[in-house]
Amino acid sequence: MRNRIWTELTQAKHSAEFASLYSDRQRTILRIFNIGILAFSSAGIMGWKLWQHLPLMA
């Protein structure tokens, strides 16, 4: 019985560690994705002044 409890506790600890690592990784990926969206959006807004005078080429 003592071994079973110990096994369950170690499994719970591993599960908690995995969930923490997975959450950190997903947060990092989401942060990078949001930075990319911000960069492309800003580039589109900044580029509008350039293409404003040349609508045929845009």
Side-chain angles (χ1 to χ4, degrees), residues 3-54:
N3 274 346
R4 183 174 178 197
I5 292 172
W6 183 254
T7 305
E8 291 293 326
L9 285 174
T10 56
Q11 183 63 36
K13 177 67 174 174
H14 289 307
S15 296
E17 287 294 323
F18 175 77
S20 175
L21 290 173
Y22 184 74
S23 175
D24 290 344
R25 183 169 182 244
Q26 290 298 326
R27 193 176 303 117
T28 301
I29 290 171
L30 184 61
R31 187 176 298 132
I32 291 169
F33 185 71
N34 283 337
I35 289 171
I37 289 175
L38 181 65
F40 281 111
S41 178
S42 297
I45 292 169
M46 298 296 185
W48 175 248
K49 272 301 217 190
L50 175 69
W51 296 110
Q52 181 177 346
H53 303 294
L54 304 168

